[in-house]
């Protein structure tokens, strides 16, 4: 069988296997010299080893890919010309030396900071003289250089040996067979890089599966992790600006003025006799504008319309950034997503946070979504920070019929979630569950019929009514109607399963859906903050009284408000606050981060006032949202503009500070 394979293909995979072995050797060295996994469970160690092996295979495939591609193109000629032989020697020697330098640097970096090598390590180059002196005084640099020379010589000899072993094949292969081997090799190496059977490739966030950070650190590959974090290298806090505005945020959040601390302990003198369950439902793309309850002319949301009057609702609730990953990050960590490049969830340098979700004592903690938790690296945000969290994703459910790119649809997601919650209720185990819906998202996949739900036909809504509503299509409307229907079915199942009465249901939209300009919220539309104005209401007749809260609320307030309702003692390290605070006369704010005319922009809402400032050109504006005409009034109200600018800066720089200074404690 092996004789039928061209020698140049064997040469590629032999080098591929050696690179994998090389990476594994350094992983084993790290395990015995630095990992300190004595407190980890055997299951955690096994998972970390398996993930680490996958990362090592991925790196080996990336390393060999350029050489493999060249060999596949020239095929038999690779062994016929000295140029290719010398090029392969040079490439392999450089590859092994570069990898070795990364691994050795990683060892020293971890020994110093208990962190794998990341882009933040580049800060040591800012003062090269001191860093070089420390390097020479702390490590055997000259012995290391000598060792690298020996390694280079060994790789040269090994490469020469392998080249000679495979250079003697005289068999000729047909074009068809060569093409087959070309495609097969590319596919194998490509899959080794993708390294996953799911819809998402292997990502660094999968390494953050444990509450024990040492386990997570061991699972990482430092070379891949360095480049994953490289694009975030400039994302740091400006300490001068932060200290300048800290007194402002301290006043806003009632923090100590004489020292920098965001820690606020909240202790309830009286606790509830029975722990209520908490179910948080993230409603994909649900803002206030498309809902008939808030004045949309189409009867788009009859179930939500019926629930809001029975719940505590928030008419001025804003998410920080108009993206699902951004809102998931903010809701879980209690910090706004103000990342310019992608989303904060994708930044490996800031996902390690002290969060309130982890402080539900005696609760089963659950996260449900229809697709994969690898999406947007969200697994790292959840699993690395929440002790004992159980993630239910594609592959976890009893019945799975994938609807579209986002996995199973909301009907199936709610149904499968209910099965798990029912079992916990029957065992009298309280739970806090986060359910992330997705069907109300492009491509708007809804079934032709699901129980009493049927989508509207294209001609069921007149063009005039569709235009008046702001919906861009009937498909967009049907997706919202289907989500609305599924909310009703979920609550029906909760009642049948028995946990409805003892559960607080928290519903929030991750952002508004993209809509056309109509008569609703016109100033918000023109200011581009209509996507941030989302739905938020809390439903639980036993615990929550019907009430409309008109104070400005923001997504990071989610968990402090929930903890207040269930009277669970907690320590808040975040920027979020309890919206239901009894200080009704206190002026509250909503902090948003968006794009305005191509520029990253920060904004602050207080009552009907909106203040914004672009990050690059520093263009500022103050607007009254009740005024249908978009008029900048900052010159008319300079004191108000200055106060809002100050608080806006305080939120922005405090967020940056906490990204890097709110790390959860090692256990």
């Amino acid at each position: 069988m092996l004789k039928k394979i061209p020698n140049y293909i064997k040469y590629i995979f032999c080098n591929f296997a050696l690179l994998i072995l090389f990476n594994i050797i350094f992983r084993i060295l790290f395990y015995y010299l630095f990992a300190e996994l004595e407190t980890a469970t055997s299951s955690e160690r096994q998972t970390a080893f398996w993930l680490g092996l996958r990362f090592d295979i991925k790196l080996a495939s990336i390393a060999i890919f350029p050489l493999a591609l060249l060999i596949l193109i020239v095929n038999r000629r690779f062994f016929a010309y000295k140029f290719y032989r010398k090029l392969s020697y040079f490439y392999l020697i450089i590859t092994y030396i570069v990898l070795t330098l990364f691994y050795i640097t990683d060892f020293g970096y971890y020994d110093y900071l208990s962190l794998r090598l990341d882009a933040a390590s580049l800060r040591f180059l800012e003062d090269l003289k001191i860093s070089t002196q420390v390097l020479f005084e702390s490590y055997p640099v000259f012995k290391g250089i000598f060792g690298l020379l020996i390694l280079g010589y060994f790789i040269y000899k090994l490469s020469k040996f392998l080249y000679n072993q495979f250079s003697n094949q005289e068999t000729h292969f047909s074009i068809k067979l060569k093409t087959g081997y070309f495609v097969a090799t590319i596919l194998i190496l490509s899959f080794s890089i993708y390294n996953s059977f799911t819809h998402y490739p292997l990502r660094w966030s999968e390494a953050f599966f444990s509450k024990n950070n040492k386990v997570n650190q061991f699972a990482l590959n430092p070379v891949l992790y360095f480049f994953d974090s490289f694009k975030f290298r400039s994302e740091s806090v400006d300490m001068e600006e932060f200290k300048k505005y800290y007194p402002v945020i301290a006043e806003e959040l009632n923090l100590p003025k004489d020292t920098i601390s965001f820690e606020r302990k909240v202790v309830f003198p009286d606790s509830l006799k029975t722990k209520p369950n908490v179910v948080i439902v993230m409603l994909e793309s649900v803002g206030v504008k498309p809902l008939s309850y808030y004045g949309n002319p189409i009867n788009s949301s009859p179930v939500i319309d019926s629930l809001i009057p029975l719940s505590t609702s928030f008419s001025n609730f804003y998410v920080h950034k108009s993206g699902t990953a951004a809102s998931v990050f903010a809701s879980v960590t209690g910090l706004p997503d103000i990342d310019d490049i992608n989303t904060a969830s994708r930044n490996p340098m800031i996902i390690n946070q002290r969060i309130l979700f982890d402080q539900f004592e005696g609760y089963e903690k659950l996260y449900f979504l229809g697709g994969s938790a690898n999406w947007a690296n969200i697994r790292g945000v959840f699993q690395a920070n929440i002790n004992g969290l159980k993630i239910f994703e594609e592959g976890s459910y009893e019945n799975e019929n994938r609807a579209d790119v986002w996995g199973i649809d909301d009907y199936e997601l709610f149904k499968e979630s209910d099965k798990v919650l029912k079992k916990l209720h029957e065992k009298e185990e309280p739970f806090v569950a986060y359910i992330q819906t997705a069907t109300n998202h492009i491509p708007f996949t809804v079934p032709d019929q699901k129980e009493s739900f049927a989508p509207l036909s294209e001609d069921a809504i007149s063009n005039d009514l569709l235009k008046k509503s702001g919906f861009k299509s009937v498909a967009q409307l049907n997706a919202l109607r289907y989500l609305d229907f599924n909310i009703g079915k979920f609550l029906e199942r909760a009642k049948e399963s028995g946990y409805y009465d003892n559960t607080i249901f928290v519903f929030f939209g991750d952002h508004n859906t993209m809509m056309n300009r109509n008569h609703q919220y016109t100033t918000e539309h023109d200011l581009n903050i209509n996507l941030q104005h989302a739905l938020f209401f809390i439903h639980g007749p036993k615990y929550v009284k019907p009430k409309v809260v008109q104070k400005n609320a923001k997504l990071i307030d989610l968990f402090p408000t929930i903890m207040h309702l269930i009277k669970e003692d907690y320590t808040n390290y975040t920027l979020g606050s309890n919206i239901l605070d009894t200080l009704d006369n206190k002026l509250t704010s909503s902090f948003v981060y968006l794009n305005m005319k191509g520029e990253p922009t920060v904004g602050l809402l207080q009552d009907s006032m909106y203040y914004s400032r672009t990050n690059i050109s520093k263009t500022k504006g103050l607007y009254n949202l009740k005024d249908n005409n978009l008029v900048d009034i900052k010159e008319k109200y300079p004191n108000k503009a200055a106060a809002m600018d100050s608080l806006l800066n305080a939120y922005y720089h405090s967020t940056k500070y906490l990204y890097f200074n709110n790390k959860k404690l090692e256990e």
Side-chain angles (χ1 to χ4, degrees):
M1 178 64 183
L2 288 176
K3 291 181 180 180
K4 296 181 179 180
I5 301 175
N7 275 7
Y8 63 87
I9 298 293
K10 296 177 188 175
Y11 180 80
I12 290 172
F13 282 99
C14 186
N15 278 290
F16 180 38
L18 287 173
L19 280 167
I20 294 173
L21 179 62
F22 188 74
N23 292 333
I24 291 174
I25 288 171
F26 276 100
R27 182 166 297 279
I28 293 171
L29 287 173
F30 183 87
Y31 177 78
Y32 283 106
L33 297 175
F34 303 102
E36 298 179 344
L37 300 184
E38 294 81 3
T39 60
T41 65
S42 59
S43 175
E44 286 179 320
R45 285 196 292 269
Q46 290 171 9
T47 302
F49 264 110
W50 170 239
L51 281 170
L53 176 61
R54 290 171 62 193
F55 284 119
D56 295 343
I57 292 172
K58 179 175 181 174
L59 176 60
S61 184
I62 292 171
I64 199 64
F65 206 96
L67 181 62
L69 188 60
L70 172 67
I71 294 171
L72 289 170
I73 292 171
V74 302
N75 52 75
R76 291 181 69 251
R77 286 174 291 167
F78 178 73
F79 295 113
Y81 296 95
K82 290 182 179 180
F83 171 76
Y84 294 125
R85 182 187 65 192
K86 292 180 179 179
L87 181 64
S88 67
Y89 293 171
F90 177 77
Y91 182 85
L92 290 169
I93 290 169
I94 293 299
T95 297
Y96 278 98
I97 288 177
V98 168
L99 290 178
T100 302
L101 284 171
F102 265 100
Y103 282 120
I104 291 173
T105 305
D106 172 64
F107 286 175
Y109 192 69
Y110 190 87
D111 188 45
Y112 180 45
L113 295 173
S114 293
L115 293 171
R116 302 307 294 266
L117 189 68
D118 57 26
S121 60
L122 295 175
R123 68 186 184 275
F124 293 115
L125 299 180
E126 293 177 2
D127 195 328
L128 194 58
K129 181 179 179 181
I130 293 177
S131 296
T132 303
Q133 186 176 348
V134 171
L135 179 68
F136 274 86
E137 291 179 359
S138 304
Y139 301 100
V141 175
F142 293 109
K143 290 181 180 178
I145 293 172
F146 182 69
L148 287 174
L149 292 174
I150 293 175
L151 174 66
Y153 181 74
F154 174 77
I155 297 301
Y156 166 74
K157 284 293 188 180
L158 180 62
S159 299
K160 185 177 181 180
F161 171 77
L162 290 175
Y163 188 93
N164 292 333
Q165 283 291 108
F166 294 111
S167 63
N168 57 0
Q169 188 177 56
E170 297 296 331
T171 307
H172 289 269
F173 296 90
S174 66
I175 297 295
K176 184 177 180 181
L177 203 56
K178 287 180 180 178
T179 302
Y181 281 118
F182 183 99
V183 172
T185 302
I186 291 294
L187 288 176
I188 291 171
L189 292 178
S190 298
F191 179 76
S192 297
I193 295 172
Y194 192 83
N195 219 292
S196 173
F197 289 101
T198 70
H199 293 269
Y200 297 91
L202 176 69
R203 290 171 173 163
W204 60 265
S205 61
E206 292 195 51
F208 289 82
F209 68 93
S210 171
K211 188 68 185 298
N212 186 336
N213 198 46
K214 292 186 184 301
V215 174
N216 302 333
Q217 295 294 314
F218 171 71
L220 290 166
N221 179 288
V223 184
L224 296 175
Y225 188 56
F226 176 84
F227 288 102
D228 282 334
S229 62
F230 190 77
K231 58 179 173 288
F232 300 104
R233 63 195 181 281
S234 62
E235 293 293 316
S236 58
V237 58
D238 185 329
M239 286 302 296
E240 288 187 11
E241 288 294 294
F242 166 67
K243 290 178 180 178
K244 176 181 176 182
Y245 289 104
Y246 175 76
V248 180
I249 201 69
E251 180 69 27
E252 176 76 2
L253 300 180
N254 195 26
L255 303 174
K257 308 290 193 304
D258 54 342
T259 182
I260 294 175
S261 174
F262 287 84
E263 180 178 324
R264 291 100 77 201
K265 292 184 180 294
V266 180
V267 179
F268 295 93
D270 56 331
S271 58
L272 298 176
K273 293 181 180 179
T274 303
K275 284 182 178 289
N277 306 309
V278 176
V279 175
I280 302 162
V281 183
M282 191 216 80
L283 302 171
E284 173 63 48
S285 303
V286 180
V288 294
K289 183 173 177 176
L291 302 176
S292 40
Y293 180 86
Y294 287 103
N296 194 285
I298 292 181
N299 183 23
S300 57
S301 51
V303 173
I304 292 174
D305 294 355
S306 66
L307 289 172
I308 291 177
L310 305 175
S311 312
T312 295
S313 63
F314 303 84
S315 57
N316 289 301
F317 173 78
Y318 293 81
V319 299
H320 306 283
K321 191 177 180 182
S322 59
T324 301
S327 286
V328 173
F329 175 86
S331 63
V332 173
T333 64
L335 298 176
D337 183 338
I338 56 172
D339 196 290
D340 286 335
I341 301 171
N342 255 313
T343 61
S345 66
R346 290 178 168 93
N347 187 339
M349 300 170 70
I350 64 176
I351 64 164
N352 180 16
Q353 299 290 331
R354 290 185 287 187
I355 64 177
L356 270 62
F357 200 156
D358 190 42
Q359 297 184 39
F360 285 78
E361 293 296 328
Y363 279 81
E364 285 288 325
K365 307 179 190 76
L366 315 151
Y367 172 43
F368 298 92
L369 75 163
S372 169
N374 289 345
W375 158 83
N377 294 322
I378 218 70
R379 186 188 305 277
V381 177
F382 274 94
Q383 205 156 31
N385 293 320
I386 304 170
N387 192 30
L389 177 75
K390 295 179 181 177
I391 293 181
F392 293 83
E393 56 186 322
E394 57 183 13
S396 302
Y397 303 113
E398 293 180 8
N399 298 304
E400 292 191 358
N401 295 309
R402 191 174 182 85
D404 54 30
V405 63
W406 307 116
I408 63 175
D409 82 352
D410 292 345
Y411 180 90
E412 300 297 336
L413 175 65
F414 280 127
K415 188 175 181 180
E416 293 298 315
S417 301
D418 173 71
K419 291 178 183 178
V420 177
L421 302 183
K422 181 181 179 181
K423 290 178 182 177
L424 291 172
H425 168 71
E426 290 172 346
K427 293 190 292 184
E428 297 184 350
E429 296 181 10
F431 52 80
V432 52
Y434 191 113
I435 303 175
Q436 181 178 327
T437 66
T439 303
N440 188 34
H441 190 293
I442 293 173
F444 302 133
T445 306
V446 300
D448 294 333
Q449 187 75 41
K450 184 70 72 173
E451 296 188 23
S452 63
F453 173 82
L456 297 172
S457 62
E458 288 292 328
D459 57 0
I461 304 293
S462 69
N463 289 334
D464 288 342
L465 181 56
L466 193 65
K467 183 178 180 181
K468 187 178 179 182
S469 71
F471 282 101
K472 293 193 168 186
S473 66
V474 175
Q476 183 185 36
L477 170 61
N478 278 326
L480 175 60
R481 291 178 60 250
Y482 188 50
L483 175 56
D484 183 72
F485 162 78
N486 283 316
I487 292 170
K489 291 300 300 179
F490 175 56
L491 293 179
E492 285 179 18
R493 294 190 192 103
K495 291 175 182 177
E496 293 171 2
S497 298
Y499 59 84
Y500 172 84
D501 288 336
N502 194 44
T503 300
I504 296 173
F505 297 89
V506 181
F507 295 92
F508 77 95
D510 64 327
H511 55 82
N512 192 11
T513 188
M514 186 66 72
M515 301 184 76
N516 292 323
R517 193 178 191 274
N518 66 352
H519 67 284
Q520 299 172 274
Y521 305 101
T522 54
T523 307
E524 287 190 3
H525 187 280
D526 295 340
L527 289 167
N528 203 33
I529 57 173
N530 58 307
L531 289 175
Q532 272 85 1
H533 197 173
L535 174 68
F536 181 33
F537 68 95
I538 303 173
H539 180 73
K542 186 177 176 181
Y543 299 98
V544 180
K545 295 180 180 179
K547 181 181 181 182
V548 176
V549 179
Q550 295 182 337
K551 293 193 299 182
N552 276 99
K554 51 195 178 298
L555 185 53
I556 55 175
D557 297 329
L558 186 72
F559 272 97
T561 304
I562 293 171
M563 301 297 252
H564 166 79
L565 287 171
I566 66 173
K567 295 189 175 182
E568 181 82 6
D569 296 347
Y570 66 97
T571 303
N572 191 357
Y573 304 96
T574 76
L575 293 176
S577 301
N578 167 29
I579 318 171
L580 298 174
D581 196 300
T582 54
L583 300 175
D584 292 328
N585 60 339
K586 181 182 178 182
L587 186 64
T588 58
S589 306
S590 300
F591 172 65
V592 295
Y593 195 75
L594 61 150
N595 193 284
M596 193 74 172
K597 297 180 180 179
E599 276 194 66
T601 302
V602 285
L604 192 77
L605 297 104
Q606 288 183 338
D607 288 340
S608 62
M609 305 297 279
Y610 173 65
Y611 178 83
S612 67
R613 188 192 68 246
T614 58
N615 285 0
I616 300 172
S617 62
K618 307 300 181 185
T619 303
K620 302 174 182 179
L622 179 66
Y623 306 92
N624 188 339
L625 298 178
K626 292 182 179 179
D627 190 347
N628 290 330
N629 297 317
L630 197 61
V631 179
D632 184 356
I633 56 175
K634 67 176 181 295
E635 302 298 335
K636 186 177 180 180
Y637 301 101
N639 292 337
K640 181 66 174 178
M644 293 184 74
D645 181 79
S646 183
L647 183 56
L648 183 62
N649 273 295
Y651 268 115
Y652 179 81
H653 292 291
S654 295
T655 300
K656 287 279 189 180
Y657 173 81
L658 287 171
Y659 275 175
F660 302 98
N661 294 277
N662 187 34
K663 305 296 186 184
K664 67 180 186 296
L665 301 176
E666 294 288 346
E667 293 191 348

